[in-house]
Amino acid sequence: MIDLRLLREDPDTVRASQRARGESESVVDDLLRADEDRRAAVQRFETLRAEQKQLGKQMPRASGDEKTALLQRTKELSAEVKAAEAAAGEAEQRLRRAQMAIPNVVEQGAPAGGEDDYVVLREVGAKPAIDNPRDHLELGEALRAIDMERGAKVSGSRFYFLTGVGALLQLGLFQLALAQAVEYGFTPAITPALVKPESMEGTGFLGAHASEVYRLEADDLFLVGTSEVPLAAYHSDEILQLDSPMRYAGWSSCFRREAGSYGKDTRGIIRVHQFDKVEMFSYCRPEEAHAEHLRLLAWEEEMLAKVEVPYRVIDVAAGDLGSSAARKYDCEAWVPSQGRYREVTSTSNCTTFQGRRLNVRYRDENGKPQTAATLNGTLATTRWLVPILENHQQPDGSVRVPKALQPYVGGRDVLEPRR
RNA sequence: GGAGACUUCGCCUAGUCUGGUCUAUGGCGCCGCACUGCUAAUGCGGUUGGGGUCUUAAAGCCCCUCCCGGGUUCGAAUCCCGGAGUCUCCGCCA
């Protein structure tokens, strides 16, 4: 939900943002009109209401003819007030709908254009020279770490079991992530995976992404696609003390329907219906958000360095941002079997967009409540096992374990295939 | 799953039976001022949030806000209906 004050004072900024995203500018004018309509309707109602209250006050003291006249006028007013109130309510709803239709205003400096118009900010680490690399599934099956076949037998396509060193590696990765987060002052959190519609709505996932989300109809609950959802809703309708950013590291399973991705990444655990993730989430003052965003990115890169995989950082183009984000940086790890980089982290600055929907506020220097900014970023996911296995593979099918993960696989520095 | 109790402006709380003077009481906390060698104590004042209007800004004025949504009424914190949440008890179950 964008800021109506910004819209009124500087509609051209919002129009420019829509252009950068490749989306309609006319919705901006729709919103401006809805805003004016609502204010007019509210004023009509308030004027009538004020008269009604005024006359109501005279009622107990009136008597005789005076009272009869008063009663007659207030009876008329009563109906008028009711109608005006209903009209104002409808105008309010139209405004809300128009406001929901506009995605967040893109941050200055974000590249314009669509999915392929990202800008590579840097490449870090040397790609390993591997002849005929095995892919993560071949390696994972040999290690008895990943079992897709039984995943499909039990739950269907895009499901899997992590077993043995696969399970240990994932748990180790997450503990490493959580330990790093705690070191930097994050509050670790294990979050609900099922949330109410308003939590889903507030984070902006029921708009364009609605078909991606699992819904439990019988209970009117949604399975979250990321712990960003419960963490953003965690402080909804609250006024926070935000002298410095409030940071949470959420650990949860994540569920995605992957509708419309038939045939894409069907092999292995790159694109699955259920995976686990440690997610950083930050509440801060809007003026602090840009700097916080860069800090989240730095923490993601620190984690990638710990697992010793080469990666690049891209500045995602405006058209590929998603409705809540004003700016987004992805880290993409090198995947030798594919000869390309694949997304392993994503950090978004949502500015006050989610905060406004979820009513998360803080008090400024004057003690006035203001809308808080929110940001999120990935610290580790199941998908990370892909570049970890592939980049550290050796010609015999064994896999070296990055030093930071060795304590979690019984101190081993190499994982050997089982026969 | 069944029964009951409760939900008031940060926290606690009065008010609901008997509708208007509720522009919501008091305490705690917090902020300011006074007193005080300092602290404490005391006294005085302030302190829900949202929206609109006016304004460079502030102040002012108006409307909404007593869990949420309907209804009754000239008028609802208060009466009626529906819903949500919390707690207690019973039943069932990991």
Side-chain angles (χ1 to χ4, degrees):
Chain A
M1 215 154 81
I2 66 164
D3 184 4
L4 287 178
R5 187 158 306 165
L6 170 75
L7 174 87
R8 280 178 215 145
E9 286 169 7
D10 190 9
D12 286 336
T13 294
V14 184
R15 288 195 188 96
S17 165
Q18 288 295 94
R19 268 199 304 282
R21 284 176 178 269
E23 290 184 35
S24 154
E25 286 180 58
S26 69
V27 292
V28 177
D29 297 293
D30 292 346
L31 182 54
L32 279 167
R33 211 171 308 116
D35 180 43
E36 268 182 52
D37 288 351
R38 185 201 68 112
R39 279 185 296 172
V42 163
Q43 269 180 62
R44 260 196 303 280
F45 160 69
E46 287 187 355
T47 306
L48 287 167
R49 182 70 172 156
E51 189 185 352
Q52 184 186 38
K53 286 181 70 167
Q54 198 63 34
L55 295 183
K57 244 173 238 177
Q58 300 170 22
M59 190 70 67
R61 279 171 285 140
S63 59
D65 290 349
E66 200 189 345
K67 186 151 193 166
T68 313
L70 212 49
L71 257 172
Q72 194 188 338
R73 174 64 188 139
T74 48
K75 256 183 184 159
E76 286 167 25
L77 256 182
S78 178
E80 287 174 44
V81 165
K82 204 161 275 184
E85 186 170 20
E90 279 165 29
E92 183 93 49
Q93 271 188 22
R94 277 195 299 276
L95 173 67
R96 180 105 182 157
R97 268 199 298 279
Q99 202 173 1
M100 291 290 202
I102 297 184
N104 202 356
V105 175
V106 172
E107 186 181 281
Q108 276 285 316
E115 196 178 345
D116 301 322
D117 296 312
Y118 59 83
V119 170
V120 177
L121 297 181
R122 55 185 166 271
E123 299 193 29
V124 180
K127 299 170 193 168
I130 306 171
D131 293 326
N132 304 315
R134 296 174 165 91
D135 77 4
H136 73 277
L137 184 55
E138 190 180 346
L139 294 162
E141 284 179 335
L143 295 171
R144 303 281 193 273
I146 302 174
D147 189 339
M148 294 297 298
E149 266 182 47
R150 292 195 177 91
K153 178 178 77 177
V154 173
S155 302
S157 67
R158 296 198 191 280
F159 285 95
Y160 57 95
F161 285 73
L162 293 181
T163 56
V165 293
L168 291 179
L169 266 182
Q170 167 159 307
L171 284 171
L173 180 65
F174 288 0
Q175 295 214 46
L176 196 61
L178 223 47
Q180 177 184 305
V182 168
E183 183 188 337
Y184 289 114
F186 284 75
T187 301
I190 295 173
T191 64
L194 287 167
V195 298
K196 300 200 268 188
E198 51 268 40
S199 302
M200 213 62 185
E201 178 95 63
T203 26
F205 283 99
L206 289 187
H209 295 283
S211 65
E212 265 301 289
V213 175
Y214 283 102
R215 171 158 183 235
L216 280 77
E217 191 144 10
D219 300 284
D220 202 17
L221 289 170
F222 293 91
L223 279 164
V224 299
T226 162
S227 59
E228 173 190 347
V229 174
L231 287 175
Y234 189 58
H235 286 303
S236 58
D237 297 318
E238 293 182 25
I239 297 180
L240 307 174
Q241 186 75 33
L242 274 191
D243 302 325
S244 58
M246 285 179 77
R247 303 188 178 110
Y248 295 92
W251 178 336
S252 82
S253 291
C254 305
F255 302 87
R256 300 189 181 179
R257 296 185 62 226
E258 295 300 342
S261 63
Y262 303 111
K264 255 195 239 171
D265 299 313
T266 49
R267 201 176 142 77
I269 57 167
I270 289 188
R271 190 179 295 273
V272 288
H273 288 309
Q274 176 180 346
F275 59 94
D276 287 71
K277 179 158 76 150
V278 173
E279 172 94 337
M280 297 181 284
F281 194 89
S282 186
Y283 295 90
C284 69
R285 293 166 175 247
E287 62 268 24
E288 183 79 18
H290 179 73
E292 182 71 357
H293 197 195
L294 297 179
R295 282 191 284 265
L296 293 183
L297 178 59
W299 284 321
E300 291 178 350
E301 294 193 60
E302 190 173 330
M303 264 305 287
L304 283 163
K306 284 177 183 165
V307 297
E308 302 170 31
V309 300
Y311 66 93
R312 69 177 185 183
V313 182
I314 66 167
D315 191 350
V316 175
D320 199 22
L321 280 181
S323 62
S324 295
R327 189 86 181 258
K328 179 155 95 174
Y329 302 111
D330 285 358
C331 292
E332 300 182 322
W334 179 249
V335 176
S337 69
Q338 299 190 356
R340 60 180 177 135
Y341 289 101
R342 297 302 306 263
E343 177 187 332
V344 285
T345 73
S346 181
T347 179
S348 294
N349 179 358
C350 296
T351 62
T352 55
F353 190 84
Q354 287 177 336
R356 196 164 291 107
R357 285 188 177 206
L358 290 165
N359 193 26
V360 181
R361 294 173 295 171
Y362 67 97
R363 288 192 192 278
D364 66 15
E365 327 31 65
N366 303 317
K368 281 269 164 240
Q370 303 286 354
T371 303
T374 60
L375 302 98
N376 61 79
T378 318
L379 216 46
T381 68
T382 303
R383 187 189 272 181
W384 282 42
L385 297 178
V386 174
I388 290 173
L389 290 175
E390 291 199 15
N391 282 289
H392 299 303
Q393 66 178 290
Q394 305 189 98
D396 62 356
S398 64
V399 173
R400 284 183 297 106
V401 181
K403 197 163 184 52
L405 288 175
Q406 289 173 11
Y408 303 102
V409 288
R412 277 174 283 183
D413 57 359
V414 175
L415 303 174
E416 303 282 354
R418 304 265 296 269
R419 250 161 301 140

